[in-house]
Amino acid sequence: MRSVRKARMRTIVAGTALLAVAGMLAGCTSTAESDDVVDQGTTSDENAASGDTVVIGFSGPAADHGWLGAINSGAQAAAASFDDVELRMAEGTNDANAQIAAVETFINEGVDVIVLLPTDGAALTEVAIKAMQAGIPVVNVDREFSSPFAARTTILGDNYGMGVSAGAYICGQLAGQDDAVVAEIAGIDSLPLTQDRSQGFKDALSDCGLDVSARVAADFTVAGGEAAASQLLSANPHIDALWNHDDDQGVGVLAAINSAGRDEFFMVGGAGSKNAMEAIQADDSVLKATVIYPSTQAADGVALARLIAQGKTVSDLITPSVPNRIVLDAPVVTKDNVDLYIDLAFES
């Protein structure tokens, strides 16, 4: 049975384009034939039905802060929700060489699919290509590989979109205040994700005639957030709005704000932690909103891996295969909609 599944998955990896072309050609026939194509889309019930057991190898970085902890637990919970999935989890690591070794172990074991959140996308690209060439589809999560041949499907949060969402929300709150002082506490400046978030923020503010008046960078930790916020507050006696990129470091940012006794501005967070959402619900601090960066990405990756291995597509899509790239939304959470998101929030 395993060899049959392997052969089928090699066909899926290599033949996705042919399937898509076949679907488009079928769509050019008569109305009756077109209706037949529409019926080929899978429903939620069909996708939920048990199929062949799928062995998924999962590897991610060390869970050294809340968001990554939620990534790992989400992958486990998603796998447990399917009675036809066996999840093999490698130990989390921030050592690229150790993660490469974990992926090579999955290849040697002959798992059906690999879900990989690389500690470094470029460093893991070669071993991901090796898995693909062995007929094992790779689902790339969050940090992209440097080659399109390294993954069957890539699922991402929207870092640029986070900045746009934060900037658009602040623009709405500061409408008409052309001289408003907008501050930013970024994450690690050397990371492309931080650069993307800052660029999106800058672009959104420029659309309403505002700019970033003051900016510091932290390191996604509580201590780093507190130190960066203390520096920012000392240098800027008045602020109208503040965007902090990350709710984990936001714990320290709020501690610094409270210590300084500052409350003349409102703050927007980032990522979507549970404690941030609880503060938004309580509405008793400067934190009024946060922008989601989904900690469900690995869980979604596991669900997609199962569909790929079983030759299914995303529920109700007509195209008979899983899309090769999915970018998740970056919504703003406020006290008006927090109830919709808090159950998926992660613990800082």
Side-chain angles (χ1 to χ4, degrees):
M1 179 65 72
R2 178 63 58 81
S3 63
V4 171
R5 288 204 306 274
K6 284 290 185 186
R8 183 172 64 183
M9 282 187 289
R10 287 189 181 95
T11 302
I12 293 167
V13 172
T16 299
L18 293 176
L19 286 170
V21 170
M24 287 188 288
L25 290 175
C28 295
T29 59
S30 69
T31 302
E33 289 170 334
S34 295
D35 290 341
D36 290 340
V37 173
V38 170
D39 289 341
Q40 289 174 8
T42 58
T43 66
S44 297
D45 287 343
E46 289 169 333
N47 276 353
S50 292
D52 292 340
T53 297
V54 179
V55 180
I56 300 174
F58 174 79
S59 176
D64 53 12
H65 61 278
W67 187 86
L68 279 172
I71 281 284
N72 291 343
S73 61
Q76 292 173 305
S81 71
F82 300 113
D83 62 9
D84 53 6
V85 168
E86 176 189 334
L87 185 68
R88 298 180 186 175
M89 289 192 67
E91 183 176 354
T93 179
N94 294 326
D95 181 339
N97 289 327
Q99 195 172 30
I100 289 168
V103 175
E104 288 179 335
T105 296
F106 289 146
I107 295 170
N108 292 334
E109 290 176 348
V111 300
D112 294 318
V113 194
I114 294 172
V115 177
L116 182 58
L117 196 168
T119 186
D120 181 316
L124 271 292
T125 295
E126 184 176 344
V127 75
I129 291 174
K130 181 178 179 181
M132 291 284 287
Q133 290 174 339
I136 301 174
V138 176
V139 178
N140 181 199
V141 177
D142 185 49
R143 302 172 188 174
E144 288 189 84
F145 300 130
S146 56
S147 168
F149 303 109
R152 163 60 182 81
T153 295
T154 299
I155 183 164
L156 305 167
D158 189 354
N159 285 296
Y160 180 83
M162 282 184 71
V164 171
S165 293
Y169 175 80
I170 288 174
C171 282
Q173 299 300 305
L174 297 178
Q177 300 181 46
D178 296 340
D179 58 349
V181 176
V182 180
E184 177 184 6
I185 300 179
I188 299 171
D189 262 343
S190 62
L191 295 180
L193 69 90
T194 297
Q195 297 160 18
D196 288 345
R197 292 179 188 185
S198 288
Q199 188 62 54
F201 189 53
K202 180 181 178 181
D203 290 348
L205 290 178
S206 68
D207 279 349
C208 67
L210 296 175
D211 55 24
V212 178
S213 306
R215 185 184 186 280
V216 294
D219 58 2
F220 297 125
T221 69
V222 173
E226 186 168 8
S230 295
Q231 175 188 341
L232 179 76
L233 295 170
S234 295
N236 296 274
H238 178 82
I239 296 171
D240 292 296
L242 167 65
W243 182 40
N244 165 60
H245 284 206
D246 179 75
D247 287 334
D248 280 324
Q249 72 183 24
V251 174
V253 171
L254 283 172
I257 291 169
N258 291 334
S259 180
R262 299 280 292 272
D263 63 1
E264 81 279 6
F265 57 86
F266 67 91
M267 172 176 155
V268 180
S273 74
K274 187 175 182 180
N275 61 292
M277 292 194 196
E278 288 172 344
I280 291 166
Q281 275 184 324
D283 197 20
D284 58 1
S285 74
V286 298
L287 182 60
K288 302 302 181 186
T290 190
V291 183
I292 296 290
Y293 189 75
S295 61
T296 57
Q297 291 177 61
D300 291 332
V302 167
L304 291 172
R306 172 179 173 270
L307 296 180
I308 291 168
Q310 294 180 347
K312 299 175 180 177
T313 187
V314 177
S315 295
D316 301 324
L317 285 187
I318 306 308
T319 302
S321 61
V322 171
N324 70 355
R325 184 178 177 85
I326 297 173
V327 180
L328 301 176
D329 193 19
V332 176
V333 178
T334 68
K335 66 178 181 180
D336 295 328
N337 65 358
V338 64
D339 290 342
L340 298 176
Y341 296 98
I342 195 166
D343 289 341
L344 291 175
F346 62 90
E347 297 280 356
S348 287

